[in-house]
Amino acid sequence: MLSPDLPSRLEKLLADTDLTCSVTHLERLIDSSNSVPEDWQAIVDAVHAHADDADAFVVVHGTDTMAYATAALSYALTGIRQPVVVTGAQLPLASVGSDAPANIISAVRAAASPRSHGVSLFFGSSLLAGNRASKVSSWSNEGFTSPNQPPLARIGTTWHWNPAPDAGCGWPDPRRYERQDVMVIDMCPGITARRLQAMLDPAPTAVIIRAYGVGGVPSDEPGLIRVIQDLVADDVPVVVASQCLQADVQLGYYETGRALREVGAVGCADMTVEAAYAKTVFLLSQGLAGADLAAWIGVNIAGELTETTPGDPDH
């Protein structure tokens, strides 16, 4: 959604509405496909720099990595009182028929609402919790969804609000985001232990495995579980997510997932892959590693997951 004259266009856009607010523009123009954790930190820094004189924040972000960014912001900004609403568009603001004007205006309305809290993402007709969102279409005006959590609000002739997820325990005084060597691997029929081992040599700092269903992998494949066991033994946390858009990873549910749990891998509950990845980078940036990091994956920091009943043997 790059636009070299974005500030002036935003001013004209808001001038045609009933939104009477003072807007301060900050620019950092990149294609979001080039986004890295340091760019997440730049947004965090900008929010902190204006925390004393702003009532709310709206971040205009490219859609390709917007779900990663909103999840990352949610962990780093749990101590901020102002709402932060992130939005974007499938077509640039200057394009005929762009969805940008409607999304930006609605994002500003959401940010101005007393019902907005934390980090959220507005797109199409929905306001989503920022760490519950996933991009599901590269062309639809409803390009994002929240697969495991109802939208915070939907717009129509009026706004219809739903209860927000549990805010989580927060994270006081977080350290800065830094780029981390986190590898995401998809399981697929026929993958061998040799191929998995090759992809993990040299070993990354952390691994996210996108497994089947509620956390299954081909556990009968000779040596495959041993590869994961060796990673955990070398203090590399292994986080298990799902390839399903809607899922609640339960490593005790089937034998194919139980094998992962027995060697020390941890499931990410109902987190999206984007939220799990950003959380892993966040925890590494806080100086956590190995089992210490793995223990935090299932802890609700900023509303990113639904906590289960303590002692549930399936989680």
Side-chain angles (χ1 to χ4, degrees):
M1 194 179 164
L2 294 175
S3 177
D5 58 345
L6 182 59
S8 62
R9 288 183 177 276
L10 289 176
E11 286 181 355
K12 292 178 181 178
L13 182 63
L14 294 175
D16 294 332
T17 73
D18 61 347
L19 294 168
T20 56
C21 57
S22 174
V23 177
T24 299
H25 303 102
L26 299 175
E27 289 187 72
R28 186 179 176 88
L29 296 180
I30 63 169
D31 189 303
S32 74
S33 292
N34 290 318
S35 177
V36 294
E38 290 84 352
D39 295 308
W40 303 341
Q41 186 60 47
I43 301 172
V44 172
D45 290 343
V47 169
H48 282 299
H50 293 269
D52 291 336
D53 50 38
D55 296 317
F57 297 90
V58 173
V59 178
V60 180
H61 196 286
T63 61
D64 285 342
T65 59
M66 187 156 65
Y68 291 95
T70 52
L73 295 180
S74 74
Y75 306 129
L77 294 173
T78 57
I80 293 294
R81 63 174 178 81
Q82 299 94 330
V84 178
V85 183
V86 184
T87 193
Q90 300 287 33
L91 290 173
L93 184 58
S95 297
V96 175
S98 172
D99 52 330
N103 284 347
I104 292 171
I105 290 173
S106 293
V108 173
R109 289 192 186 281
S113 171
R115 300 192 64 165
S116 282
H117 301 281
V119 178
S120 58
L121 183 157
F122 185 89
F123 210 86
S125 61
S126 299
L127 182 68
L128 311 174
N131 48 32
R132 295 287 194 148
S134 288
K135 185 177 181 181
V136 292
S137 176
S138 62
W139 57 266
S140 172
N141 286 348
E142 301 289 342
F144 286 78
T145 190
S146 179
N148 297 312
Q149 174 69 35
L152 299 175
R154 289 190 183 277
I155 65 169
T157 54
T158 60
W159 285 61
H160 291 267
W161 292 81
N162 293 314
D166 189 321
C169 64
W171 195 286
D173 301 319
R175 299 183 188 179
R176 300 176 64 81
Y177 272 111
E178 296 179 350
R179 193 179 308 203
Q180 306 290 340
D181 187 8
V182 179
M183 188 172 189
V184 181
I185 298 176
D186 273 32
M187 290 290 101
C188 55
I191 190 171
T192 64
R194 181 180 180 183
R195 173 51 55 207
L196 181 61
Q197 181 66 66
M199 288 191 289
L200 294 166
D201 185 16
T205 310
V207 177
I208 297 175
I209 292 177
R210 295 186 71 231
Y212 307 129
V214 295
V217 298
S219 56
D220 286 343
E221 184 64 32
L224 190 140
I225 295 297
R226 180 59 184 269
V227 172
I228 297 170
Q229 182 178 19
D230 289 346
L231 277 175
V232 176
D234 288 340
D235 230 19
V236 177
V238 177
V239 180
V240 183
S242 177
Q243 295 178 17
C244 298
L245 190 61
Q246 288 184 310
D248 184 3
V249 175
Q250 303 177 31
L251 295 186
Y253 199 82
Y254 295 113
E255 178 59 36
T256 54
R258 193 173 301 123
L260 289 173
R261 188 177 68 177
E262 289 175 352
V263 299
V266 294
C268 70
D270 60 353
M271 276 191 284
T272 64
V273 171
E274 297 93 334
Y277 179 85
K279 186 173 186 176
T280 303
V281 174
F282 176 79
L283 294 172
L284 287 168
S285 298
Q286 306 314 302
L288 298 179
D292 291 334
L293 185 151
W296 272 96
I297 290 296
V299 178
N300 182 20
I301 295 175
E304 71 278 6
L305 58 82
T306 304
E307 290 188 285
T308 56
T309 303
D312 185 341
D314 289 336
H315 285 75

